[in-house]
Amino acid sequence: MSRRILVVLSEYGYWGEELIGPLETFDKAGYHVTFATPTGKRPVALPPSMDPDYIDPPLGRSVTTPEMAAKVKAVEASDRLDHPLDLSSWLPDRPYRSKPYFLRDWEAYNTRLEKVQEQIADRYDALLIVGGSGPIVDLANNWRVHDLILAFYALDRPIAAECYGVTCLAFARDQEDRQSIIRGKHVTGHCIEYDYLDGTGFVGTDFNMGPPPYPLEYILRDATAPGGAYHGNFGKTTSVIVDYPFITGRSTPDSYLTGQKTVEVLENGLRQWGFKAQPKD
């Protein structure tokens, strides 16, 4: 039976290649892909990710080939991203503790999450969170996204994330101990050398900030400690880390490799790759 992948995208702009790389890899493997967004709106690629003439400021060169730009535009022009799954309708929102009937609301919330986990077990084999600047706005601190990740985690299903989408893993935490689920794990993600000094932008808004509002590298270094580690691999062409159940990719050049390693996790039982595990005392 074909594997089934749930792909979560921002409504404020995903980076084109970070969708195309895994998507083409999943298509080639014969997987069925379902797309989801926070409120069910159609996701949109960030304009620079479709422009081969755009010069990425930290790297001082284009990071989008004409071929990749054409692929992103083709997906954008197709109906493939139409009618994504609406996470706000599927997953419950966490109630405020100040609500008069908090206990009943909290019980209903947990009951709904149990149902969602059962549905995930029946429908999906793995989760992918696509990167770009958009996830900073509507994925990183989205409790529904966190609960979706926690459901896959509880089911021991592979969870892949790219670039600034990896933030969601750092912030996905059990409400009892509040520790990140990547505590003690090895991950990669957008390193600080790749962050913009100015001009971080989003689709659908004229809000244009300077650098990203948080340095992802620092968050990941803190969230994985103790026992785990962040691997930026700055100066190396690619950076993908597998530390099951997580598959993390640093940035645009890692998109195809992220997809490939996700397939290897599903088909070959890959559990660790891309780092040297330190022996435990």
Side-chain angles (χ1 to χ4, degrees):
M1 185 174 65
S2 173
R3 303 281 190 177
R4 302 153 299 175
I5 314 296
L6 180 62
V7 176
V8 176
L9 294 144
S10 169
E11 296 172 8
Y12 286 85
Y14 67 89
W15 193 271
E17 187 169 348
E18 292 175 16
L19 171 63
I20 298 298
L23 184 59
E24 285 193 353
T25 306
F26 297 154
D27 287 347
K28 185 177 180 180
Y31 292 176
H32 177 76
V33 176
T34 298
F35 300 102
T37 60
T39 67
K41 294 180 182 177
R42 191 185 195 279
V44 180
L46 290 159
S49 72
M50 298 183 282
D51 182 4
D53 295 324
Y54 176 78
I55 303 300
D56 186 75
L59 296 178
R61 61 174 175 81
S62 172
V63 294
T64 303
T65 65
E67 178 186 21
M68 180 53 64
K71 288 181 177 182
V72 178
K73 290 176 182 177
V75 168
E76 284 288 296
S78 74
D79 62 358
R80 191 157 188 188
L81 298 179
D82 292 351
H83 312 299
L85 184 67
D86 178 0
L87 295 182
S88 68
S89 295
W90 186 28
L91 287 96
D93 201 8
R94 296 177 188 174
Y96 283 118
R97 293 181 183 271
S98 61
K99 295 186 68 175
Y101 303 103
F102 170 75
L103 178 58
R104 301 284 83 80
D105 290 338
W106 191 251
E107 290 172 346
Y109 164 79
N110 284 314
T111 299
R112 180 59 189 164
L113 285 183
E114 290 173 2
K115 181 64 175 178
V116 168
Q117 186 169 310
E118 292 173 1
Q119 293 170 342
I120 289 172
D122 290 337
R123 299 176 186 177
Y124 304 112
D125 297 291
L127 173 68
L128 168 68
I129 301 171
V130 176
S133 58
I136 294 171
V137 178
D138 62 349
L139 299 184
N141 200 30
N142 186 322
W143 285 358
R144 288 188 173 96
V145 174
H146 299 169
D147 284 335
L148 182 69
I149 293 169
L150 290 169
F152 274 85
Y153 185 73
L155 291 166
D156 197 33
R157 302 283 166 93
I159 302 167
E162 303 169 280
C163 189
Y164 264 82
V166 183
T167 321
C168 303
L169 307 185
F171 291 162
R173 300 169 183 242
D174 181 87
Q175 289 302 293
E176 295 299 324
D177 61 27
R178 309 289 175 102
Q179 293 180 354
S180 173
I181 57 173
I182 60 172
R183 178 184 172 93
K185 306 298 285 187
H186 292 259
V187 303
T188 191
H190 211 263
C191 59
I192 197 165
E193 289 87 355
Y194 288 4
D195 281 346
Y196 288 7
L197 297 180
D198 186 37
T200 304
F202 311 100
V203 174
T205 175
D206 60 2
F207 179 60
N208 194 322
M209 64 174 61
Y214 55 83
L216 178 57
E217 175 178 337
Y218 295 167
I219 288 173
L220 296 178
R221 287 186 182 278
D222 292 346
T224 55
Y230 165 82
H231 304 269
N233 289 317
F234 176 65
K236 295 185 178 181
T237 305
T238 59
S239 179
V240 173
I241 301 294
V242 178
D243 195 0
Y244 191 86
F246 306 110
I247 307 103
T248 51
R250 180 181 63 192
S251 191
T252 304
D254 310 293
S255 59
Y256 281 92
L257 188 56
T258 299
Q260 291 163 12
K261 292 304 170 184
T262 303
V263 171
E264 290 181 35
V265 167
L266 288 167
E267 302 300 333
N268 304 330
L270 179 67
R271 287 298 181 267
Q272 289 188 330
W273 189 87
F275 69 98
K276 184 177 181 180
Q278 299 297 318
K280 296 183 178 180
D281 295 333

